Amino acid sequence: MTDTASAAMLEINDLNSFYGESHVLHNVSFHVGRGEVVTLLGRNGAGKTTAMRSILGIVPKRCGSIRLCGKELVGLPRYQIPRLGIGYVPEERGIFASLNVIENLLLPPIIKKGGMELEQIFALFPNLNERASTQGTRLSGGEQQMLAIARVLRTGAELILLDEPTEGLAPVIVDQIELAIRTLKDRGFTILLVEQSFRFASKVADRHYILEEGHVVDMIPNAQLASKRAILNQYLGL
Ligand SMILES: Nc1ncnc2c1ncn2[C@@H]1O[C@H](COP(=O)(O)OP(=O)(O)OP(=O)(O)O)[C@@H](O)[C@H]1O
Ligand SMILES: [Mg+2]
């Protein structure tokens, strides 16, 4: 194993992913270091969600290499992958409508030691504490998003995949999500974040990979974002 591989929490090399005949990701390579917050930025349909689903093995076909702490995920049965320490917060959030906040929180199984306690989760998202016995259907979009994030923090997952967590949310809620991501980083979580809002991404992330039509076309350290603004706007069609 190389030094880079052992240092990276997630190391993806030459990933190709397909839906039937449709070849969506093309030789995608990127890595996320332990404790880093890294974004995948790109236009609609660029392949951001597919990249996350590929990590979890929930695309119909993928090849290449996806290593978590050096362990190869490609070839593993898909049910084993989250248990290795990956928490997935999908775009559609997946809150169970008939369960209340506490029941939703307690549903995912503990996969590893070291997950957050309920009190710590409620300190991070005080709104959820106030709504503890409220049914999923009665939560606002922002509360559902917070619950979707909160739910994976208990499990002991160390790598969190967040797909567009701020989509459609009011600015005051977006600020709370931003604070939560910063706090999770401080606590040592590693985060891969898909975002359409480069403004939001620039406030929380260490580095950004740009996906264009299924290809990684650039990597921009957050400190260089301002100087690369013009090219970024071009990539994102802003
Ligand atoms: N289940 C599927 N079956 C067939 N094609 C799909 C499927 N899901 C996505 N695709 C196609 O794969 C490509 C990448 O889609 P993906 O959802 O990964 O993009 P994205 O970057 O997440 O976009 P968005 O910003 O709209 O969420 C698109 O061309 C899309 O039409
Ligand atoms: Mg998507």
Side-chain angles (χ1 to χ4, degrees):
M1 199 188 300
T2 66
D3 285 342
T4 333
S6 57
M9 180 94 191
L10 180 71
E11 172 99 20
I12 297 186
N13 280 303
D14 286 329
L15 172 66
N16 286 271
S17 297
F18 307 80
Y19 295 104
E21 295 294 299
S22 173
H23 186 175
V24 172
L25 296 186
H26 302 261
N27 298 320
V28 162
S29 299
F30 66 90
H31 69 273
V32 185
R34 184 175 283 277
E36 256 195 321
V37 178
V38 166
T39 65
L40 297 178
L41 295 172
R43 300 183 195 205
N44 287 325
K48 307 180 296 294
T49 298
T50 302
M52 290 201 160
R53 293 172 57 87
S54 298
I55 295 167
L56 294 155
I58 51 176
V59 290
K61 185 180 164 201
R62 76 213 201 295
C63 55
S65 172
I66 303 172
R67 279 179 296 176
L68 182 74
C69 303
K71 184 177 172 64
E72 182 60 59
L73 304 185
V74 174
L76 289 183
R78 67 169 63 167
Y79 73 88
Q80 285 186 7
I81 294 176
R83 295 182 193 178
L84 297 172
I86 305 179
Y88 179 41
V89 183
E91 212 171 347
E92 60 278 11
R93 297 167 189 154
I95 300 304
F96 290 93
S98 61
L99 302 183
N100 69 28
V101 166
I102 290 277
E103 289 164 341
N104 266 286
L105 269 176
L106 296 180
L107 204 61
I110 305 291
I111 50 174
K112 280 194 173 186
K113 281 190 195 154
M116 286 171 71
E117 304 290 337
L118 274 185
E119 305 84 77
Q120 296 172 318
I121 291 175
F122 284 144
L124 187 63
F125 296 115
N127 307 37
L128 292 183
N129 198 7
E130 290 160 24
R131 306 281 268 160
S133 53
T134 304
Q135 229 181 307
T137 36
R138 300 176 65 93
L139 300 175
S140 69
E143 288 164 343
Q144 287 189 27
Q145 184 61 62
M146 290 177 198
L147 179 54
I149 298 172
R151 214 166 38 174
V152 300
L153 303 177
R154 258 185 79 248
T155 63
E158 295 161 307
L159 172 65
I160 310 291
L161 311 181
L162 296 176
D163 197 346
E164 303 212 28
T166 67
E167 194 188 13
L169 302 183
V172 58
I173 308 291
V174 172
D175 290 346
Q176 290 179 41
I177 306 271
E178 179 192 328
L179 182 63
I181 292 176
R182 287 180 190 283
T183 308
L184 295 178
K185 181 180 165 68
D186 289 344
R187 292 186 74 102
F189 283 94
T190 303
I191 297 174
L192 179 62
L193 172 71
V194 160
E195 260 298 330
Q196 292 244 3
S197 161
F198 119 86
R199 248 190 99 246
F200 181 81
S202 69
K203 289 200 239 170
V204 295
D206 299 301
R207 294 185 298 118
H208 313 272
Y209 287 94
I210 317 296
L211 264 179
E212 219 173 46
E213 296 181 359
H215 301 260
V216 172
V217 292
D218 210 345
M219 190 284 288
I220 305 180
N222 202 45
Q224 291 175 19
L225 210 54
S227 61
K228 289 208 164 184
R229 186 65 195 267
I231 190 167
L232 190 67
N233 286 351
Q234 203 176 324
Y235 287 138
L236 301 178
L238 298 173

